[in-house]
Amino acid sequence: MPSLFPLLLAVLGAALVNAATASLDGISSLVQRLMPAHQNSFIFELINGEGDSFIIQDTPGNSSITVKCTTVSACARGLYTYVTRYGGVDIWWTGSRLDQLPPILPSVGQPINGSAIVPYRYHFNTVTFDYTAAFWDWDQWSLELDWLALRGVNLPLAWVGYEYILIQVFQEAGLTDADIASFLSGPAFQAWNRFGNIQGSWGGDLPTQWVDDQFALNQQITARMTELGMTPVLPAFTGFVPHAMATLYPDASIVNGSQWSGFPTSLTNVSFLEPFDPLFTTLQKAFIAKQQAAYGADLTHFYTLDQYNENDPYSGDVGYLASISAGTFSSLRAADPEAVWLMQGWLFFSSESFWTNDRVEAYLSGVINTEDMIVLDLFSEAAPQWNRTNSYFGKSWVWCQLHDYGGNMGFEGNLPELTNGPLAALNYPGSSMKGMGLTMEGQEGNEIVYDILLDQAWSATPLDIPSYVESWVARRYPVNPLPAAAQQAWSILSTTVYSNQNNNTQATIGGIFELAPNLTGLVDRGGHHPTLIPYDTDSTIVPALAALVQASAENPALLSVPEFNYDLVDVTRQLLSNKFIDAYNALIATWNSSSATAGAVTGAGAPLLTILSTLDAVLATNENFLLSSWIADARSWGAGDAAYADYLEYNARNQITLWGPDGEINDYASKAWAGLISTYYVPRWEAFISYLAGTAESKAYNSTEVADQMLQIGKEWGMQTWGQNAGETWSTTGDISVVAEQVLKQWV
């Protein structure tokens, strides 16, 4: 019923407007922060209207620009529309370039109108707070929040500092500090403790200083979110409790969850207080009351709450499942009469064999009114669940792009799906879709695929990809003249690498050099951690890199553009990553040969080590590709306490390598970072090549022996401190323009 669509936006948007600020001071502050030379060049005005909409026009009588909007979020989006469309500048994960607006602002001419096609524009996966933002400081968060607001996001997740209030609730319930410490997980692994996947910590208990500092940081984060017209989605009490809770409350209905990802019982099988037990509501009310006291009672009424993320329920009985969700929602409403429950829908995909349609329907039925629950269809671009669940049986849901797992780095995208899929779902008969959003596990590269989805949320028709890419590149590389070769590079990438129709590789494609070396199982993987390259490198990556190098030669000013340098590094990285596959295959073929010798295998392994050395040099030219940046961020929270900083560094190291005390999720969060390659991946591959050389004639390959050797390398590496070994620096080295040319000459 098209005639009801604007009314629907208005009704749903009311909840956000009521929670978010109605003041435009935050948008004015954003202008002062990012465009100080133009702090008096924009006039913002709230107007009546439906949903989120804006009008951009020239201000009569002077040279300023007026942005009229129905919501603060719409004003931010209106401002973004002006600075990108007329000013030719943008804000990126690598920094804001909005201060490069022309001194005299271009006139608009005919007023421009814009409207969001969905009431919710969502951002964050629960695990993004660890894979990407675990050690962010306020400056990094400030850039992120400005990026979100300008792109029109109005419903971001806000997990930081959750443990501060949870600890208080547990203490009031009678748990000791030791009980609580045995439950909480380390700084780089808190998301999975919050999900009920793991409990406790390896490497030491969670420090009180960390808990306090993160809470203070979230006070800044949520305040800024509100200023910028966003409504934070805050956590709630989930039901996961320390084992000691069952002893303290012997009559409470507490069950143990399932084992997760091979972790030992001491670190998983998390206790779960079932929501139909009265104690659940007591703890929920205490948690939300304290949270409201900390952040303000009217900050939000949206709560994230996930109980079965890769953790199957105690029972599959549909009545049981309905009672779990009914009790959960009842507790939320007891604490906040306007509460809306937001949940990630990942469980319906990852545990699809358990979550049959009747069980999904039963679980969702515990929330009666359709608008009182929002389900994030977490992997809509590749594995949507909304279609098989009849639009989540009428509950509000958000079309989400997941795309990146573990913060892995590698090119992949499906621009046609991102511009057509959400609209098809929105217009599907009986659809209850109410939003579009990003739920990547990590923010690492491929920025164009995330930009285009958030932009699609403001267009009722599919964005024209060629013209979109052309404009995007012009803003990303704001030099005059912009060489045609720069546009050519992205024309190639957008129509091949970022137009991936292979259903088996719809996620960031990591390099096999990041995986623990093995004789088999590394290449041509599919699924959500693919290694299969679905395009021809020589006709895509190679000419794209050559075009970028050519563009920088034609206009050297490009080499002063941070985003151009980032992309030049990234495309070079992808070329070497793909070439490593060829070298690996040649090594394995040599070893498998009946005439293989130790010398032949060693010789066949040499190109792999050369590629890794070259790749490390490429990445070392840019601060965004340094292991030392990740470690420095972690250690910075140590505030001069060396022991605390070492603890944080261990957490940072373990996450991107072993992911667990004994490699339980080995290499899941691997990265293509300088320093990580030279100090970790190279030693692993050297050991592997040596092992193959030693077994070349006997063929006595023992995979367990190899795995044990790799685990030992990982454990030893994880205990090190950056900067104590030769060659471990904290800054960039080399010139990417020089290195990229050398790579083209050597490897093409």
Side-chain angles (χ1 to χ4, degrees):
M1 293 179 287
S3 62
L4 294 180
F5 186 63
L7 177 60
L8 178 64
L9 291 178
V11 171
L12 293 174
L16 293 172
V17 172
N18 289 341
T21 182
S23 168
L24 293 171
D25 291 347
I27 305 301
S28 297
S29 295
L30 182 149
V31 173
Q32 294 173 9
R33 187 164 58 247
L34 302 182
M35 308 167 246
H38 289 289
Q39 59 182 313
N40 298 316
S41 300
F42 293 95
I43 297 173
F44 301 102
E45 178 184 342
L46 281 172
I47 59 174
N48 293 324
E50 298 173 335
D52 294 282
S53 59
F54 61 81
I55 303 170
I56 311 169
Q57 61 188 44
D58 298 320
T59 305
N62 62 55
S63 59
S64 65
I65 301 298
T66 295
V67 181
K68 298 181 179 180
C69 50
T70 57
T71 63
V72 178
S73 177
C75 253
R77 178 69 197 194
L79 172 63
Y80 179 72
T81 301
Y82 175 80
V83 298
T84 54
R85 187 179 302 182
Y86 295 93
V89 295
D90 212 324
I91 180 173
W92 313 99
W93 291 342
T94 40
S96 172
R97 312 301 164 213
L98 302 189
D99 59 346
Q100 298 175 17
L101 271 174
I104 300 177
L105 294 182
S107 63
V108 175
Q110 189 70 22
I112 299 297
N113 295 278
S115 297
I117 63 172
V118 287
Y120 303 136
R121 283 88 58 199
Y122 176 84
H123 190 72
F124 285 121
N125 188 307
T126 291
V127 304
T128 320
F129 290 86
D130 281 318
Y131 283 137
T132 294
F135 306 110
W136 274 3
D137 60 16
W138 171 239
D139 287 342
Q140 290 165 302
W141 269 108
S142 182
L143 174 64
E144 175 81 359
L145 297 178
D146 288 342
W147 184 89
L148 292 175
L150 287 165
R151 279 172 167 75
V153 169
N154 63 352
L155 195 64
L157 200 53
W159 265 112
V160 178
Y162 165 73
E163 287 69 24
Y164 181 87
I165 292 173
L166 184 67
I167 289 172
Q168 293 181 26
V169 172
F170 283 161
Q171 288 173 333
E172 287 189 0
L175 291 167
T176 67
D177 289 345
D179 294 333
I180 298 169
S182 71
F183 174 73
L184 299 176
S185 299
F189 305 98
Q190 291 182 302
W192 300 273
N193 181 245
R194 296 162 179 172
F195 271 148
N197 300 132
I198 60 174
Q199 61 182 344
S201 183
W202 51 98
D205 292 343
L206 185 68
T208 300
Q209 186 64 55
W210 174 265
V211 174
D212 293 344
D213 288 346
Q214 292 297 295
F215 172 68
L217 177 60
N218 204 46
Q219 289 182 307
Q220 291 179 283
I221 291 170
T222 53
R224 178 63 61 81
M225 285 178 173
T226 304
E227 289 174 10
L228 294 175
M230 296 183 279
T231 300
V233 181
L234 287 177
F237 173 66
T238 58
F240 301 113
V241 296
H243 283 321
M245 187 72 82
T247 302
L248 194 61
Y249 294 88
D251 296 328
S253 183
I254 297 175
V255 297
N256 284 338
S258 55
Q259 186 186 41
W260 185 71
S261 291
F263 277 84
T265 301
S266 60
L267 293 173
T268 185
N269 298 101
V270 181
S271 293
F272 179 61
L273 172 62
E274 296 180 302
F276 45 73
D277 190 293
L279 181 59
F280 189 100
T281 297
T282 299
L283 297 180
Q284 186 74 273
K285 290 170 67 175
F287 182 91
I288 291 181
K290 293 179 183 300
Q291 189 165 253
Q292 289 177 334
Y295 300 119
D298 293 324
L299 178 75
T300 188
H301 300 293
F302 291 82
Y303 300 95
T304 181
L305 203 160
D306 292 287
Q307 298 164 322
Y308 298 119
N309 180 78
E310 300 177 6
N311 181 15
D312 288 345
Y314 182 73
S315 168
D317 178 77
V318 293
Y320 174 84
L321 296 173
S323 70
I324 292 291
S325 55
T328 300
F329 186 66
S330 176
S331 76
L332 287 172
R333 280 295 170 94
D336 180 349
E338 300 178 56
V340 176
W341 177 4
L342 181 142
M343 65 171 288
Q344 295 192 173
W346 175 251
L347 69 168
F348 303 132
F349 167 66
S350 67
S351 302
E352 189 171 355
S353 60
F354 176 89
W355 288 103
T356 56
N357 269 18
D358 58 336
R359 287 174 173 170
V360 174
E361 184 173 19
Y363 187 64
L364 299 182
S365 72
V367 180
I368 304 300
N369 296 322
T370 60
E371 306 305 331
D372 292 339
M373 171 179 271
I374 302 172
V375 181
L376 302 177
D377 192 56
L378 215 69
F379 198 13
S380 301
E381 80 274 22
Q385 301 300 297
W386 66 267
N387 42 12
R388 76 141 172 130
T389 59
N390 298 321
S391 211
Y392 289 102
F393 300 101
K395 294 296 185 291
S396 299
W397 65 275
V398 178
W399 198 104
C400 297
Q401 178 185 194
L402 205 168
H403 184 257
D404 185 286
Y405 289 82
N408 293 161
M409 301 162 69
F411 288 167
E412 195 281 330
N414 189 346
L415 298 180
E417 174 61 23
L418 299 176
T419 53
N420 288 279
L423 298 182
L426 183 64
N427 296 315
Y428 192 82
S431 175
S432 54
M433 173 181 158
K434 302 298 189 299
M436 294 163 62
L438 303 176
T439 51
M440 59 281 229
E441 289 192 348
Q443 288 187 189
E444 294 288 347
N446 295 300
E447 201 163 342
I448 192 170
V449 303
Y450 306 115
D451 287 346
I452 200 169
L453 182 65
L454 292 181
D455 289 341
Q456 188 60 67
W458 295 79
S459 175
T461 58
L463 295 171
D464 180 73
I465 295 173
S467 61
Y468 181 90
V469 172
E470 182 178 357
S471 297
W472 186 87
V473 173
R475 299 194 307 274
R476 192 164 175 84
Y477 310 149
V479 299
N480 187 22
L482 176 62
Q487 290 286 3
Q488 179 189 3
W490 279 97
S491 177
I492 294 169
L493 294 174
S494 65
T495 55
T496 56
V497 176
Y498 290 111
S499 188
N500 178 25
Q501 306 298 308
N502 186 323
N503 291 331
N504 204 30
T505 57
Q506 293 289 312
T508 301
I509 301 171
I512 68 166
F513 68 86
E514 302 169 25
L515 303 177
N518 205 338
L519 199 61
T520 60
L522 301 189
V523 301
D524 296 336
R525 289 184 182 180
H528 56 66
H529 256 74
T531 61
L532 174 65
I533 306 298
Y535 54 82
D536 175 63
T537 299
D538 291 338
S539 61
T540 57
I541 302 299
V542 170
L545 178 57
L548 290 177
V549 170
Q550 178 186 340
S552 65
E554 293 177 0
N555 189 342
L558 281 168
L559 297 174
S560 298
V561 177
E563 288 66 45
F564 182 84
N565 282 295
Y566 181 99
D567 294 343
L568 191 55
V569 170
D570 214 15
V571 178
T572 309
R573 174 205 54 75
Q574 191 64 59
L575 173 60
L576 291 171
S577 180
N578 293 0
K579 290 295 182 182
F580 188 89
I581 298 174
D582 299 333
Y584 168 81
N585 286 334
L587 169 66
I588 301 306
T590 299
W591 186 87
N592 279 322
S593 171
S594 59
S595 59
T597 64
V601 170
T602 300
L608 282 74
L609 301 180
T610 299
I611 291 172
L612 291 178
S613 177
T614 304
L615 181 54
D616 197 75
V618 167
L619 301 170
T621 64
N622 193 288
E623 63 181 0
N624 297 287
F625 295 88
L626 301 182
L627 168 65
S628 60
S629 295
W630 171 250
I631 292 177
D633 286 349
R635 295 188 66 88
S636 69
W637 288 96
D641 184 332
Y644 181 25
D646 289 347
Y647 164 85
L648 294 169
E649 179 170 347
Y650 171 79
N651 264 258
R653 283 174 174 260
N654 185 267
Q655 188 210 88
I656 60 176
T657 53
L658 297 183
W659 212 127
D662 294 301
E664 282 77 2
I665 317 181
N666 196 28
D667 297 317
Y668 184 96
S670 63
K671 301 291 188 295
W673 285 343
L676 184 59
I677 292 176
S678 60
T679 67
Y680 186 59
Y681 297 149
V682 166
R684 289 204 303 187
W685 284 100
E686 285 178 334
F688 179 68
I689 293 168
S690 177
Y691 183 89
L692 290 185
T695 58
E697 297 181 21
S698 68
K699 299 295 188 286
Y701 184 89
N702 186 321
S703 59
T704 301
E705 186 178 338
V706 172
D708 289 345
Q709 187 176 11
M710 298 306 155
L711 177 60
Q712 186 59 34
I713 291 173
K715 287 187 172 184
E716 292 175 359
W717 186 87
M719 296 303 296
Q720 295 176 16
T721 302
W722 186 260
Q724 293 187 353
N725 297 318
E728 294 182 351
T729 64
W730 296 96
S731 58
T732 60
T733 59
D735 182 340
I736 184 55
S737 65
V738 175
V739 179
E741 284 196 64
Q742 293 173 343
V743 168
L744 280 173
K745 292 177 181 178
Q746 183 176 2
W747 295 102
V748 176

